Amino acid sequence: MTTSTPGYFTTTETTRSEPETLVEGRLFLTDTELVCGAGTGPVTSGYAGAVDDHAGSTLRRLFGGRLDPQQFSLDDARSRERTVVVPFAAVDDVASVSWSGSDLSGTDQTFAVRVETSRVDGSLLLQLGHGTRNRGSGRERHDRLRTLLAVSADASRTGRE
């Protein structure tokens, strides 16, 4: 079974501060691996990017999803250059991370999930929302993702021993 959700990811040497750049795409969880699928180049700058970030995909809805870099299949994800694939058996640690500050009024933190694996240089950071889309409920959403990844990694390790 495969589950997927829009998401953002990056690899980084430190998790002490929020990363400045993220790859926008889709996160896929299969029975055996995490696939961080790179999108097709979102609108991230200028007036259109600012409106889209502030309005939570208003431009994407306006154009009927045709410009949505987060809507694609697992097969498409596997064929893209910036896609990161991590077998659950290769996951060494999974943790929640957060940083002070958020663009969203009334929210004082931004959240992510850190995955440690030898498959990438540094740490793999996953976010279910970015900018104003990483809302106050982000802690619970990211904690659920962390738990799901940790359980999948533990089950995979138990199966290989």
Side-chain angles (χ1 to χ4, degrees), residues 75-160:
D75 289 337
D76 287 341
R78 291 183 189 282
S79 69
R80 295 182 179 173
E81 183 179 329
R82 294 182 301 163
T83 292
V84 175
V85 178
V86 178
F88 290 131
V91 172
D92 298 320
D93 187 44
V94 180
S96 296
V97 294
S98 63
W99 303 277
S100 293
S102 174
D103 294 336
L104 185 63
S105 176
T107 302
D108 61 357
Q109 288 187 305
T110 301
F111 305 100
V113 174
R114 176 186 50 81
V115 178
E116 295 297 329
T117 176
S118 59
R119 297 294 177 116
V120 299
D121 292 331
S123 298
L124 176 63
L125 286 180
L126 311 173
Q127 284 188 316
L128 297 173
H130 179 58
T132 56
R133 293 180 224 167
N134 196 336
R135 303 193 184 281
S137 64
R139 176 178 295 284
E140 292 84 15
R141 294 174 59 223
H142 286 88
D143 283 346
R144 284 193 298 270
L145 177 60
R146 176 193 45 82
T147 299
L148 181 59
L149 291 171
V151 166
S152 298
D154 287 344
S156 183
R157 281 192 298 272
T158 303
R160 73 176 181 200

Coordinates of all heavy atoms in Angstrom, one line a residue, residues 75-160:
D75 N 5.5 6.8 -9.7 CA 6.3 6.5 -10.8 C 7.0 7.8 -11.4 O 8.2 7.8 -11.7 CB 5.6 5.8 -11.9 CG 5.2 4.4 -11.6 OD1 5.9 3.8 -10.7 OD2 4.2 3.9 -12.1
D76 N 6.2 8.9 -11.4 CA 6.8 10.1 -11.8 C 7.9 10.6 -10.9 O 8.9 11.1 -11.3 CB 5.7 11.2 -12.0 CG 4.8 11.1 -13.2 OD1 5.2 10.3 -14.1 OD2 3.7 11.6 -13.1
A77 N 7.6 10.4 -9.6 CA 8.6 10.9 -8.6 C 9.9 10.1 -8.7 O 11.0 10.7 -8.7 CB 8.0 10.6 -7.2
R78 N 9.8 8.8 -9.0 CA 11.1 8.0 -9.1 C 11.9 8.4 -10.3 O 13.1 8.2 -10.3 CB 10.7 6.5 -9.2 CG 10.1 5.9 -7.9 CD 9.9 4.5 -8.1 NE 9.2 3.9 -7.0 CZ 9.7 3.5 -5.9 NH1 11.0 3.8 -5.6 NH2 9.0 3.0 -4.9
S79 N 11.3 9.1 -11.3 CA 12.1 9.5 -12.5 C 12.7 10.9 -12.4 O 13.4 11.3 -13.3 CB 11.1 9.4 -13.7 OG 10.2 10.4 -13.6
R80 N 12.4 11.6 -11.3 CA 12.9 13.0 -11.2 C 14.3 13.0 -10.5 O 14.5 12.4 -9.5 CB 11.9 13.8 -10.5 CG 10.6 13.9 -11.3 CD 9.6 14.7 -10.8 NE 8.4 14.7 -11.7 CZ 7.3 15.2 -11.4 NH1 7.1 15.8 -10.2 NH2 6.3 15.2 -12.3
E81 N 15.1 13.9 -11.0 CA 16.5 14.0 -10.5 C 16.6 14.3 -9.0 O 17.5 13.8 -8.3 CB 17.2 15.1 -11.3 CG 18.7 15.2 -11.0 CD 19.3 16.3 -11.8 OE1 18.9 16.5 -13.0 OE2 20.3 16.9 -11.3
R82 N 15.9 15.3 -8.5 CA 16.0 15.7 -7.1 C 15.3 14.8 -6.1 O 15.3 15.1 -4.9 CB 15.6 17.1 -6.9 CG 16.5 18.1 -7.7 CD 16.1 19.5 -7.5 NE 14.7 19.7 -8.0 CZ 13.9 20.8 -7.6 NH1 14.4 21.7 -6.9 NH2 12.7 20.8 -8.1
T83 N 14.6 13.8 -6.6 CA 13.9 12.9 -5.7 C 14.8 12.1 -4.8 O 15.9 11.7 -5.2 CB 13.0 11.9 -6.5 OG1 12.0 12.6 -7.1 CG2 12.4 10.8 -5.6
V84 N 14.4 11.9 -3.5 CA 15.3 11.2 -2.5 C 14.5 10.0 -2.1 O 13.3 10.1 -1.7 CB 15.5 12.1 -1.3 CG1 16.3 11.3 -0.2 CG2 16.3 13.3 -1.7
V85 N 15.1 8.8 -2.2 CA 14.5 7.5 -1.8 C 15.3 7.0 -0.6 O 16.5 6.8 -0.7 CB 14.5 6.5 -3.0 CG1 13.9 5.2 -2.5 CG2 13.8 7.1 -4.2
V86 N 14.5 6.7 0.5 CA 15.2 6.1 1.7 C 14.4 4.9 2.1 O 13.3 4.9 2.6 CB 15.1 7.1 2.9 CG1 15.7 6.5 4.1 CG2 15.8 8.4 2.5
P87 N 15.0 3.7 1.9 CA 14.4 2.5 2.4 C 14.3 2.6 4.0 O 15.2 3.1 4.6 CB 15.4 1.4 2.1 CG 16.3 2.0 1.0 CD 16.3 3.4 1.3
F88 N 13.2 2.1 4.5 CA 13.0 2.1 6.0 C 14.1 1.4 6.7 O 14.5 1.8 7.8 CB 11.6 1.6 6.3 CG 10.5 2.4 5.9 CD1 9.4 1.9 5.3 CD2 10.5 3.8 6.2 CE1 8.3 2.7 4.9 CE2 9.4 4.6 5.8 CZ 8.3 4.1 5.1
A89 N 14.6 0.4 6.1 CA 15.7 -0.4 6.7 C 17.0 0.5 6.9 O 17.8 0.2 7.7 CB 16.0 -1.6 5.9
A90 N 17.1 1.6 6.1 CA 18.3 2.4 6.2 C 18.1 3.6 7.1 O 19.0 4.5 7.2 CB 18.7 2.9 4.8
V91 N 16.9 3.7 7.8 CA 16.6 4.9 8.7 C 17.3 4.6 10.0 O 17.0 3.5 10.7 CB 15.1 5.1 8.8 CG1 14.8 6.1 9.9 CG2 14.5 5.5 7.5
D92 N 18.1 5.5 10.5 CA 18.8 5.3 11.8 C 18.1 6.0 12.9 O 18.1 5.5 14.1 CB 20.2 5.8 11.7 CG 21.1 5.1 10.7 OD1 21.0 3.9 10.6 OD2 21.9 5.8 10.0
D93 N 17.4 7.1 12.6 CA 16.7 7.8 13.7 C 15.7 8.8 13.0 O 15.9 9.3 11.9 CB 17.7 8.7 14.5 CG 17.1 9.3 15.7 OD1 16.3 8.7 16.4 OD2 17.4 10.5 16.0
V94 N 14.6 9.0 13.8 CA 13.6 9.9 13.3 C 13.2 10.8 14.5 O 13.0 10.3 15.6 CB 12.3 9.2 12.9 CG1 11.2 10.2 12.4 CG2 12.6 8.2 11.7
A95 N 13.1 12.1 14.4 CA 12.8 13.0 15.5 C 12.0 14.2 15.0 O 12.1 14.6 13.8 CB 14.1 13.5 16.1
S96 N 11.2 14.8 15.9 CA 10.6 16.0 15.6 C 11.5 17.2 15.9 O 12.3 17.1 16.8 CB 9.3 16.2 16.5 OG 8.4 15.2 16.2
V97 N 11.5 18.2 15.0 CA 12.3 19.4 15.3 C 11.3 20.6 15.1 O 10.3 20.6 14.4 CB 13.5 19.5 14.3 CG1 14.5 18.5 14.6 CG2 13.1 19.5 12.9
S98 N 11.7 21.7 15.7 CA 10.9 23.0 15.6 C 11.9 24.1 15.7 O 12.9 24.0 16.3 CB 9.8 23.0 16.6 OG 10.3 23.0 17.9
W99 N 11.4 25.3 15.2 CA 12.2 26.5 15.3 C 11.3 27.6 15.8 O 10.1 27.6 15.5 CB 12.8 26.9 14.0 CG 13.6 25.8 13.4 CD1 14.9 25.6 13.7 CD2 13.2 24.8 12.5 NE1 15.4 24.5 13.0 CE2 14.4 24.0 12.2 CE3 12.1 24.5 11.8 CZ2 14.4 22.9 11.4 CZ3 12.0 23.4 11.0 CH2 13.2 22.6 10.7
S100 N 11.8 28.5 16.5 CA 11.0 29.7 17.0 C 10.7 30.6 15.8 O 11.5 30.8 14.9 CB 11.8 30.5 18.0 OG 12.0 29.7 19.2
G101 N 9.5 31.0 15.8 CA 9.0 32.0 14.8 C 8.2 31.3 13.7 O 8.4 30.1 13.4
S102 N 7.3 32.0 13.1 CA 6.4 31.5 12.1 C 5.9 32.7 11.4 O 5.6 33.8 12.0 CB 5.3 30.6 12.6 OG 4.4 30.3 11.6
D103 N 5.6 32.6 10.1 CA 5.0 33.7 9.3 C 3.5 33.8 9.7 O 2.9 34.8 9.4 CB 5.1 33.5 7.8 CG 6.6 33.5 7.3 OD1 7.4 34.2 8.0 OD2 6.9 32.9 6.3
L104 N 2.9 32.8 10.3 CA 1.5 32.8 10.5 C 1.2 33.6 11.9 O 1.7 33.2 12.9 CB 1.0 31.4 10.6 CG -0.5 31.2 10.8 CD1 -1.3 31.7 9.6 CD2 -0.8 29.7 11.0
S105 N 0.3 34.5 11.8 CA -0.1 35.3 13.0 C -0.6 34.4 14.0 O -1.4 33.5 13.8 CB -1.1 36.3 12.6 OG -1.5 37.0 13.7
G106 N -0.1 34.5 15.3 CA -0.6 33.7 16.4 C 0.1 32.4 16.6 O -0.2 31.7 17.5
T107 N 1.1 32.1 15.7 CA 1.8 30.9 15.8 C 3.2 31.2 16.1 O 3.8 32.1 15.5 CB 1.7 30.1 14.5 OG1 0.3 29.9 14.2 CG2 2.4 28.8 14.5
D108 N 3.8 30.5 17.0 CA 5.2 30.9 17.4 C 6.3 29.9 17.1 O 7.4 30.0 17.4 CB 5.2 31.2 18.9 CG 4.9 30.0 19.8 OD1 4.5 28.9 19.2 OD2 4.9 30.1 21.0
Q109 N 5.9 28.8 16.3 CA 6.9 27.8 16.0 C 6.6 27.3 14.6 O 5.5 27.3 14.1 CB 6.9 26.6 16.9 CG 7.5 27.0 18.3 CD 7.6 25.7 19.1 OE1 6.6 25.0 19.3 NE2 8.8 25.5 19.6
T110 N 7.7 26.8 13.9 CA 7.6 26.1 12.6 C 8.1 24.7 12.9 O 9.1 24.5 13.6 CB 8.5 26.8 11.6 OG1 8.0 28.2 11.5 CG2 8.4 26.1 10.3
F111 N 7.5 23.7 12.3 CA 7.8 22.3 12.6 C 8.3 21.5 11.4 O 8.1 21.9 10.2 CB 6.5 21.6 13.0 CG 5.9 22.3 14.2 CD1 4.8 23.2 14.0 CD2 6.4 22.2 15.5 CE1 4.2 23.8 15.1 CE2 5.8 22.8 16.6 CZ 4.7 23.7 16.3
A112 N 9.0 20.4 11.7 CA 9.5 19.5 10.7 C 9.8 18.2 11.3 O 9.8 18.0 12.5 CB 10.8 20.1 10.0
V113 N 10.2 17.2 10.5 CA 10.6 15.9 10.9 C 12.0 15.7 10.4 O 12.2 15.9 9.2 CB 9.7 14.8 10.4 CG1 10.2 13.4 10.8 CG2 8.3 14.9 11.0
R114 N 12.9 15.3 11.3 CA 14.3 15.0 10.9 C 14.5 13.5 10.8 O 14.2 12.7 11.7 CB 15.3 15.6 11.9 CG 16.7 15.2 11.6 CD 17.7 15.7 12.7 NE 17.3 15.2 14.0 CZ 17.5 14.0 14.6 NH1 18.1 13.1 13.8 NH2 17.2 13.7 15.8
V115 N 15.0 13.1 9.6 CA 15.3 11.6 9.4 C 16.8 11.5 9.2 O 17.4 12.2 8.3 CB 14.6 11.1 8.1 CG1 15.0 9.7 7.8 CG2 13.1 11.3 8.2
E116 N 17.4 10.7 10.0 CA 18.9 10.4 9.9 C 19.0 9.0 9.2 O 18.4 8.0 9.6 CB 19.5 10.3 11.3 CG 19.5 11.6 12.1 CD 20.3 12.7 11.4 OE1 21.3 12.4 10.7 OE2 19.9 13.8 11.6
T117 N 19.8 9.1 8.1 CA 20.1 7.9 7.3 C 21.4 8.0 6.6 O 21.8 9.2 6.2 CB 18.9 7.7 6.3 OG1 19.3 6.5 5.5 CG2 18.7 8.9 5.4
S118 N 22.0 7.0 6.3 CA 23.3 7.0 5.6 C 23.1 7.2 4.1 O 24.0 7.4 3.3 CB 24.1 5.7 5.7 OG 23.3 4.6 5.3
R119 N 21.8 7.3 3.6 CA 21.5 7.4 2.2 C 21.6 8.9 1.8 O 21.6 9.1 0.6 CB 20.0 7.0 2.0 CG 19.8 5.5 2.2 CD 20.7 4.7 1.2 NE 20.6 3.3 1.4 CZ 20.0 2.4 0.6 NH1 19.5 2.8 -0.6 NH2 20.0 1.1 0.8
V120 N 21.7 9.8 2.7 CA 21.9 11.2 2.3 C 23.0 11.8 3.1 O 23.3 11.4 4.2 CB 20.6 12.1 2.5 CG1 19.4 11.5 1.7 CG2 20.2 12.1 4.0
D121 N 23.6 12.9 2.6 CA 24.6 13.6 3.4 C 23.9 14.6 4.3 O 23.1 15.4 3.9 CB 25.5 14.4 2.4 CG 26.4 13.5 1.6 OD1 26.7 12.4 2.0 OD2 26.7 13.9 0.4
G122 N 24.2 14.5 5.6 CA 23.5 15.3 6.6 C 22.2 14.7 7.0 O 22.0 13.5 7.0
S123 N 21.3 15.6 7.4 CA 19.9 15.2 7.8 C 18.9 15.4 6.7 O 19.0 16.4 6.0 CB 19.5 15.9 9.1 OG 20.4 15.7 10.2
L124 N 17.9 14.6 6.6 CA 16.8 14.8 5.7 C 15.7 15.4 6.5 O 15.3 14.9 7.5 CB 16.3 13.5 5.1 CG 15.1 13.5 4.2 CD1 15.4 14.4 3.0 CD2 14.7 12.1 3.8
L125 N 15.3 16.6 6.1 CA 14.2 17.3 6.8 C 12.9 17.3 6.0 O 13.0 17.5 4.7 CB 14.5 18.8 7.1 CG 15.5 19.1 8.2 CD1 15.8 20.6 8.3 CD2 15.1 18.5 9.5
L126 N 11.8 17.0 6.6 CA 10.5 16.9 5.9 C 9.5 17.9 6.6 O 9.5 18.0 7.8 CB 9.9 15.5 6.1 CG 10.8 14.3 5.8 CD1 10.1 13.0 6.1 CD2 11.2 14.3 4.3
Q127 N 8.8 18.6 5.7 CA 7.8 19.5 6.2 C 6.5 19.2 5.5 O 6.5 19.0 4.3 CB 8.1 21.0 6.1 CG 9.2 21.4 7.1 CD 9.4 22.9 7.0 OE1 9.5 23.5 5.9 NE2 9.4 23.6 8.1
L128 N 5.4 19.2 6.2 CA 4.1 19.0 5.6 C 3.5 20.3 5.1 O 2.5 20.3 4.4 CB 3.1 18.3 6.6 CG 3.6 16.9 7.0 CD1 2.7 16.3 8.1 CD2 3.7 16.0 5.8
G129 N 4.0 21.4 5.5 CA 3.6 22.7 5.1 C 4.8 23.6 5.1 O 5.7 23.4 5.9
H130 N 4.8 24.7 4.4 CA 5.9 25.6 4.3 C 5.4 27.0 4.4 O 4.3 27.3 3.9 CB 6.7 25.4 3.0 CG 7.9 26.3 2.9 ND1 8.9 26.4 3.8 CD2 8.1 27.3 1.9 CE1 9.8 27.3 3.4 NE2 9.3 27.8 2.3
G131 N 6.1 27.9 5.1 CA 5.7 29.3 5.2 C 4.4 29.3 6.0 O 4.3 28.7 7.1
T132 N 3.4 30.0 5.6 CA 2.2 30.2 6.3 C 1.3 28.9 6.2 O 0.4 28.7 6.9 CB 1.3 31.3 5.7 OG1 1.1 31.1 4.3 CG2 2.0 32.6 6.0
R133 N 1.8 27.9 5.4 CA 1.0 26.6 5.4 C 1.5 25.7 6.5 O 0.8 24.7 6.7 CB 1.3 25.9 4.0 CG 0.6 26.7 2.9 CD 0.9 26.0 1.6 NE 1.3 27.0 0.6 CZ 1.8 26.8 -0.5 NH1 2.0 25.6 -0.9 NH2 2.1 27.7 -1.3
N134 N 2.5 26.0 7.2 CA 3.0 25.2 8.3 C 2.3 25.7 9.5 O 2.8 26.5 10.4 CB 4.5 25.3 8.5 CG 5.1 24.2 9.4 OD1 4.4 23.7 10.2 ND2 6.3 23.9 9.2
R135 N 1.0 25.4 9.7 CA 0.1 26.1 10.6 C 0.2 25.6 12.0 O 1.0 24.6 12.3 CB -1.3 25.9 10.1 CG -1.5 26.5 8.7 CD -3.0 26.6 8.4 NE -3.1 27.0 7.0 CZ -3.0 28.3 6.6 NH1 -2.7 29.2 7.4 NH2 -3.1 28.6 5.3
G136 N -0.5 26.2 12.9 CA -0.5 25.8 14.4 C -0.7 24.3 14.6 O -0.2 23.8 15.6
S137 N -1.5 23.7 13.8 CA -1.7 22.2 13.9 C -0.5 21.4 13.4 O -0.5 20.2 13.5 CB -3.0 21.8 13.2 OG -2.8 22.0 11.8
G138 N 0.5 22.2 13.0 CA 1.7 21.5 12.4 C 2.3 20.6 13.4 O 2.9 19.6 12.9
R139 N 2.3 20.9 14.6 CA 3.0 20.0 15.6 C 2.4 18.6 15.6 O 3.1 17.6 15.5 CB 2.9 20.6 17.0 CG 3.5 19.6 18.0 CD 3.5 20.1 19.5 NE 4.3 21.3 19.7 CZ 5.7 21.3 19.8 NH1 6.3 20.1 19.7 NH2 6.3 22.4 19.9
E140 N 1.1 18.5 15.6 CA 0.4 17.2 15.7 C 0.6 16.5 14.3 O 0.8 15.3 14.3 CB -1.1 17.4 15.9 CG -1.4 17.9 17.3 CD -1.4 19.4 17.5 OE1 -1.3 20.1 16.5 OE2 -1.3 19.9 18.6
R141 N 0.5 17.2 13.2 CA 0.7 16.6 11.9 C 2.1 16.0 11.8 O 2.3 14.9 11.3 CB 0.4 17.6 10.8 CG -1.1 18.0 10.8 CD -1.3 19.1 9.8 NE -0.9 18.7 8.4 CZ -0.2 19.5 7.6 NH1 0.1 20.7 7.9 NH2 0.1 19.0 6.4
H142 N 3.1 16.8 12.2 CA 4.5 16.4 12.1 C 4.8 15.3 13.1 O 5.6 14.3 12.8 CB 5.4 17.6 12.2 CG 5.4 18.4 11.0 ND1 4.6 19.5 10.8 CD2 6.2 18.4 9.9 CE1 4.8 20.0 9.7 NE2 5.8 19.4 9.1
D143 N 4.2 15.3 14.3 CA 4.4 14.2 15.2 C 3.8 12.9 14.7 O 4.4 11.8 14.9 CB 3.7 14.6 16.6 CG 4.6 15.6 17.4 OD1 5.8 15.8 17.1 OD2 4.0 16.1 18.4
R144 N 2.7 13.0 14.0 CA 2.1 11.7 13.4 C 3.0 11.2 12.3 O 3.2 10.0 12.2 CB 0.7 12.0 12.9 CG -0.4 12.1 14.0 CD -1.8 12.1 13.5 NE -2.1 13.2 12.6 CZ -2.6 14.3 13.0 NH1 -2.9 14.5 14.2 NH2 -2.9 15.3 12.1
L145 N 3.6 12.1 11.5 CA 4.5 11.6 10.5 C 5.7 11.0 11.1 O 6.2 10.0 10.7 CB 4.9 12.8 9.6 CG 5.9 12.5 8.5 CD1 5.4 11.4 7.5 CD2 6.3 13.8 7.7
R146 N 6.3 11.7 12.2 CA 7.4 11.1 12.8 C 7.1 9.7 13.4 O 7.9 8.8 13.2 CB 7.9 12.0 14.0 CG 9.0 11.4 14.8 CD 9.3 12.2 16.1 NE 8.1 12.4 16.9 CZ 7.5 11.6 17.7 NH1 7.9 10.4 17.8 NH2 6.4 11.9 18.3
T147 N 6.0 9.5 14.0 CA 5.6 8.2 14.6 C 5.5 7.2 13.5 O 6.0 6.1 13.6 CB 4.3 8.4 15.4 OG1 4.5 9.3 16.5 CG2 3.9 7.0 15.9
L148 N 4.8 7.5 12.4 CA 4.7 6.6 11.3 C 6.0 6.2 10.7 O 6.2 5.0 10.5 CB 3.8 7.2 10.2 CG 3.5 6.4 9.0 CD1 2.8 5.1 9.4 CD2 2.6 7.1 8.0
L149 N 6.9 7.1 10.5 CA 8.2 6.8 10.0 C 9.0 5.9 11.0 O 9.7 5.0 10.6 CB 9.0 8.1 9.6 CG 8.5 8.9 8.5 CD1 9.2 10.2 8.4 CD2 8.6 8.1 7.2
A150 N 9.0 6.3 12.3 CA 9.7 5.5 13.3 C 9.2 4.1 13.4 O 10.0 3.1 13.4 CB 9.6 6.2 14.6
V151 N 7.9 3.9 13.4 CA 7.3 2.5 13.4 C 7.7 1.7 12.2 O 8.0 0.6 12.3 CB 5.8 2.6 13.6 CG1 5.1 1.3 13.3 CG2 5.4 3.2 15.0
S152 N 7.6 2.4 11.0 CA 8.0 1.7 9.8 C 9.4 1.3 9.8 O 9.8 0.2 9.3 CB 7.7 2.6 8.6 OG 6.3 2.9 8.5
A153 N 10.3 2.2 10.3 CA 11.7 1.9 10.3 C 12.0 0.7 11.3 O 12.8 -0.2 11.0 CB 12.5 3.1 10.7
D154 N 11.4 0.8 12.5 CA 11.5 -0.3 13.5 C 11.1 -1.6 12.9 O 11.7 -2.6 13.1 CB 10.8 0.1 14.8 CG 11.5 1.2 15.6 OD1 12.6 1.5 15.3 OD2 10.8 1.7 16.5
A155 N 9.9 -1.6 12.3 CA 9.4 -2.9 11.7 C 10.3 -3.4 10.6 O 10.6 -4.6 10.6 CB 8.0 -2.6 11.1
S156 N 10.9 -2.5 9.9 CA 11.8 -3.0 8.8 C 13.1 -3.5 9.4 O 13.6 -4.5 8.9 CB 12.2 -1.8 7.9 OG 13.0 -2.2 6.8
R157 N 13.6 -2.9 10.4 CA 14.8 -3.4 11.1 C 14.6 -4.7 11.8 O 15.4 -5.6 11.7 CB 15.4 -2.4 12.1 CG 16.1 -1.2 11.4 CD 16.9 -0.4 12.5 NE 16.0 0.2 13.4 CZ 15.4 1.4 13.2 NH1 15.7 2.1 12.1 NH2 14.6 2.0 14.1
T158 N 13.4 -4.9 12.4 CA 13.1 -6.1 13.0 C 13.0 -7.2 12.0 O 13.4 -8.4 12.2 CB 11.7 -6.0 13.8 OG1 11.9 -4.9 14.7 CG2 11.4 -7.2 14.5
G159 N 12.4 -6.9 10.9 CA 12.3 -7.9 9.8 C 13.6 -8.3 9.2 O 13.7 -9.4 8.6
R160 N 14.6 -7.5 9.3 CA 15.9 -7.8 8.6 C 16.9 -8.5 9.6 O 17.9 -9.0 9.2 CB 16.6 -6.6 8.1 CG 17.2 -5.7 9.1 CD 17.9 -4.5 8.4 NE 18.4 -3.7 9.5 CZ 18.8 -2.4 9.4 NH1 18.7 -1.8 8.2 NH2 19.2 -1.7 10.4

